[in-house]
Amino acid sequence: MKVLHILDHSIPLHSGYTFRTRSILEEQRKLGLETFHITSSKHVGGRSALETVDGLCFYRSPDPEGLFVGLPVVKQWAVSKSLEMRLNDIIPQIKPDILHAHSPALNGLAALAMSKKYHIPLVYECRAFWEDAAVNHGTAIEGGLRYRISKALETYIFKRADAVTTICEGLRNDIISRGVKEENVTVIPNAVDINKFTYDDAPDSALAQELNLAGKLVLGFIGSFYAYEGLLLLLDALPAIIHSHPDIRLLLVGSGPQTKQLKEQVKALGLQEFVLITGRVPHDRVQRYYKLIDILIYPSFSNRSTELSAPLKPLEAMAMGCIVVASDVGGHREYIRDQETGYLFKAGDKESLVKTVLMLINGKGLWEKVRKSARDYVKDERSWMKVVIKYQSVYGKLV
């Protein structure tokens, strides 16, 4: 079976979006599928018509041309038309059995047009609602014109694709609520390559010394610094935790729009001695930082995105047997069974966060059991090999 994947980007591979894509493509090839790949003009990087990245060949779409392509609405339309024309070039050569378009909607629109023209079944994969992501990033207003247009375009594709896949139950339920047939929407969740995440390796003592964390009890967060991640709440909770355990240190690994505000809050609370913000760390070094952290904390606030989506970072932490504390938003509840594979606290509630962390610190005797349960859960239910095979069933119904 030949599957043509329609994407925005092939790199950078460290991002959650493209890391999932690469994992899917690698596993599909292991399963014997013949995969082809095309990126829209939004791709950042090489512009050759055909390029190889990490052993995968990608057809590229040309940059849109014209006097008005820089205008907001025209620009989006031009991106989709450029992708559509490139698909029209390569589909007769490839002769795919399935078109598999990955959100956002601009990819879906181009794929839908080609699906109708060449009578090829279309699978549309939604990993997040981009209108909600735009709200989180401050580039759109919930309920505003851009928000409503994005949602309408996505809904249009959901209803016309032959099958829809998504990454969690929250997104699936929302898609169905828009009038899409329940049997047409399949959850194929985030996963990890369990073999790439070591379980019992000792912490990197040299790195611990370098960061002045040797002999300390380390709380941590690894990810992007957006407001919805709740990191300011974590800083607000830290003084009460330190009061009971002065040897606590907080390690924040990453960067983002809130970096400046976080540093200001550290200073305002007098926590300079207790908080270390590293900045972004190369993906191939991230495991070294995971190993330094005794308790990973993901204090996301409750909003549409966090209730509907399921982030990848906590799953990676669980794969390494880390102790994870997370707010009880929808995405976290799909991974974490409270006090079995991790710990949940009430989203947005500082006292609940403090209570949960202190309970965990005072109950170290349970850590090993929880660590093993988290690792086993990922191994048994969230490895890419076991997850990607679900695409076979989706494709098989259409061909």
Side-chain angles (χ1 to χ4, degrees), residues 270-305:
L271 295 173
Q272 297 93 322
E273 178 187 348
F274 299 92
V275 180
L276 175 63
I277 301 176
T278 67
R280 190 174 298 279
V281 169
H283 188 73
D284 59 357
R285 298 186 65 202
V286 167
Q287 284 200 44
R288 297 177 65 204
Y289 288 81
Y290 273 120
K291 292 297 182 182
L292 294 182
I293 298 171
D294 296 293
I295 302 173
L296 265 295
I297 302 179
Y298 293 93
S300 302
F301 290 122
S302 176
N303 62 21
R304 266 186 59 83
S305 289

Side-chain angles (χ1 to χ4, degrees), residues 338-357:
D338 191 27
Q339 300 188 47
E340 181 183 341
T341 59
Y343 294 80
L344 295 171
F345 70 92
K346 186 177 180 181
D349 189 323
K350 182 178 74 172
E351 284 70 28
S352 178
L353 172 55
V354 171
K355 181 180 177 181
T356 302
V357 171

Side-chain angles (χ1 to χ4, degrees), residues 1-2 7-8 53 65 92 114 129 133-134 139 142 157 201 207 213 220-221 225 227 249-250 266 291 295 351 390 398:
M1 185 186 299
K2 296 180 180 179
L7 313 152
D8 267 352
V53 179
E65 297 180 350
M114 294 297 98
F129 295 139
T139 57
E142 186 170 352
I157 299 162
D201 285 359
L207 182 60
L213 297 176
F221 171 91
F225 299 167
R249 296 294 182 269
L250 175 62
V266 168
K291 292 297 182 182
I295 302 173
E351 284 70 28
K390 295 182 180 181
L398 303 179

